[in-house]
Amino acid sequence: MPKPNSLKSIFFALGANLAIFIAKLGAALFTGSGSLLAEAIHSLADTGNQLLLLWGLKLSRRPPTPKHPLGHGKAIFFWSFIVALLLFSMGGMFSIYEGFYKLKHPKTISYPFLALGVLLFSLLAEGISLIGCLKEINKVRKNQTLLTWFKKTRQSELLVVFGEDSAAIIGLTFAFLAIVLSIITQNPFYDALGSILIGILLIVIALAIGSEVYELLIGQGVEPEIKEKIIELLEKQPEIKQVLNLITLQLGPNVMVAVKAKMNFKKSALELVNDINQCEQILKKHFPQVKWIFFEPDIKK
C-alpha cells in the first residue's frame, strides 16, 4: 500500500494560502469588504498553521532519548492541536467579530468585482491544494467515505490540512455569495453576514479537528482493522498458539505494540526467546510502522 506524503500536502497548502492571503488582503483593503477581510485573516492563520505543522513533523522525527524512550512522535499531535486552537481563535472568532462590527458600522463595498475576482482566484488555488491533499488521502482510505477516514485516521497533519482546505473552499463560497448579494441588493448586510457565517464554519471545523487530534494526543491505538491484521499475522506463526492480548499505541508515524501470547511448547528458554525474536522480526517486516514491541509469553487463564 503506498504511503501518503503528508509533507507534500502541507507544502501545497502553504504555497496556496500564502498567495491567497496576499491577494485577499490587498483586495480587502482596497474594497472594504468584511467577508474578504475575514477570508484574508483565515488564509493568514492557515499559512501560519502550515508552518506549525512543518515544525511539528520535524520535532516528531527526533530519535528516542533517555528522557523520551519512545521517541518524540506525538509532537505532531500537539502541534496539530495548537493549529486547531488557532483556527478557532484567529480564524473563527475574528471573522465573527468582524461580521458584527460591519453590522454596526455598515460600509458599501468598493470595487466589488475586484473582490469577486480575487475570490475566484482563491477558489482555484484552494481547489488545487485540496486535490493534492485528496490524492494523498486516497492512498490509504480505500472504500471509506471521507468522513469515516476523518474519524479513523491517525495522521493528524493530513487531517488538519484536509480540514483547513475544506473549510477554505466552503468559506470562499460563502464570501463569494455574500458579495454577490451585496451587489444585487446594494446592501452591505450580506457582506457582514458572510463574515459571520465564515466564522461559524471555521469554529465548527476547528472543533471537529480538535476532537480527533485530542484522541491521538491522550493516547490512541492503531485503527481496528490494522490491529486485527496484526493479530491474524501473529496467530499464523507456528511459534504462537494464540494471541491472548494485544495493545497498540500510536506515537506519531510510529507504533508501539505490546503482545501477550500463548506459545507452542518449547524444551528450553533459549528456544522460546528465539521464537519470540522470530515473531518480532516478521511483525516489523509486515508492519514497518511498528518500532517498539514488548512481547510477553503466557498461558491462557
Side-chain angles (χ1 to χ4, degrees):
M1 180 187 298
K3 186 177 180 181
N5 190 335
S6 301
L7 197 60
K8 184 187 295 185
S9 297
I10 293 174
F11 276 118
F12 259 119
L14 178 62
N17 284 315
L18 183 59
I20 292 169
F21 163 68
I22 294 171
K24 286 178 182 176
L25 181 62
L29 296 175
F30 198 67
T31 63
S33 167
S35 293
L36 205 51
L37 181 59
E39 275 296 313
I41 298 301
H42 173 197
S43 294
L44 175 62
D46 283 353
T47 302
N49 290 344
Q50 312 314 321
L51 295 174
L52 290 178
L53 288 178
L54 289 173
W55 177 248
L57 280 176
K58 181 180 179 180
L59 294 180
S60 70
R61 291 170 179 170
R62 290 185 298 175
T65 64
K67 188 176 181 180
H68 298 92
L70 296 183
H72 299 78
K74 293 180 78 172
I76 186 58
F77 300 157
F78 171 78
W79 287 106
S80 297
F81 192 76
I82 294 298
V83 165
L85 293 178
L86 290 175
L87 190 64
F88 179 92
S89 57
M90 283 187 66
M93 298 302 291
F94 178 84
S95 297
I96 291 175
Y97 166 79
E98 176 66 17
F100 280 108
Y101 179 83
K102 289 291 184 181
L103 285 177
K104 293 182 179 180
H105 305 88
K107 182 181 178 182
T108 304
I109 301 174
S110 304
Y111 305 100
F113 291 102
L114 172 62
L116 292 177
V118 169
L119 288 174
L120 286 174
F121 164 75
S122 301
L123 276 167
L124 176 63
E126 288 289 2
I128 293 173
S129 176
L130 182 58
I131 289 172
C133 181
L134 287 173
K135 183 178 179 182
E136 301 306 318
I137 292 172
N138 288 337
K139 292 179 181 179
V140 291
R141 78 181 179 100
K142 297 183 179 179
N143 296 323
Q144 299 178 49
T145 65
L146 283 172
L147 181 60
T148 301
W149 170 85
F150 187 90
K151 291 180 177 180
K152 287 187 174 183
T153 184
R154 303 303 191 258
Q155 286 190 273
S156 63
E157 69 280 7
L158 201 57
L159 182 150
V160 169
V161 173
F162 172 71
E164 286 184 346
D165 285 349
S166 301
I169 294 291
I170 300 172
L172 286 165
T173 303
F174 284 171
F176 189 89
L177 293 175
I179 293 176
V180 168
L181 287 173
S182 294
I183 295 172
I184 293 173
T185 63
Q186 294 296 305
N187 188 346
F189 164 80
Y190 295 101
D191 182 48
L193 179 62
S195 181
I196 294 172
L197 290 177
I198 291 168
I200 293 172
L201 168 70
L202 294 179
I203 288 175
V204 170
I205 295 293
L207 290 175
I209 293 174
S211 176
E212 296 301 322
V213 176
Y214 168 78
E215 295 292 334
L216 290 166
L217 195 57
I218 63 174
Q220 193 171 23
V222 298
E223 296 94 323
E225 296 84 357
I226 294 180
K227 182 177 179 180
E228 289 176 7
K229 289 179 180 179
I230 291 175
I231 294 175
E232 182 181 352
L233 175 68
L234 289 173
E235 291 190 334
K236 283 182 179 179
Q237 305 313 308
E239 298 84 0
I240 295 177
K241 191 168 186 178
Q242 182 184 5
V243 174
L244 303 177
N245 193 17
L246 182 79
I247 297 174
T248 65
L249 183 62
Q250 192 77 42
L251 299 166
N254 299 317
V255 174
M256 183 276 290
V257 174
V259 184
K260 180 181 284 190
K262 183 177 182 180
M263 310 296 289
N264 284 316
F265 176 75
K266 293 295 175 184
K267 295 181 179 180
S268 70
L270 180 60
E271 287 180 314
L272 179 62
V273 170
N274 288 334
D275 284 353
I276 290 174
N277 289 338
Q278 175 69 16
C279 292
E280 289 181 348
Q281 290 175 9
I282 291 173
L283 180 57
K284 287 186 175 181
K285 180 180 177 180
H286 285 81
F287 298 90
Q289 67 270 41
V290 175
K291 191 167 185 179
W292 299 276
I293 303 175
F294 302 96
F295 203 113
E296 178 186 353
D298 204 341
I299 59 174
K300 189 172 183 180
K301 297 177 181 178

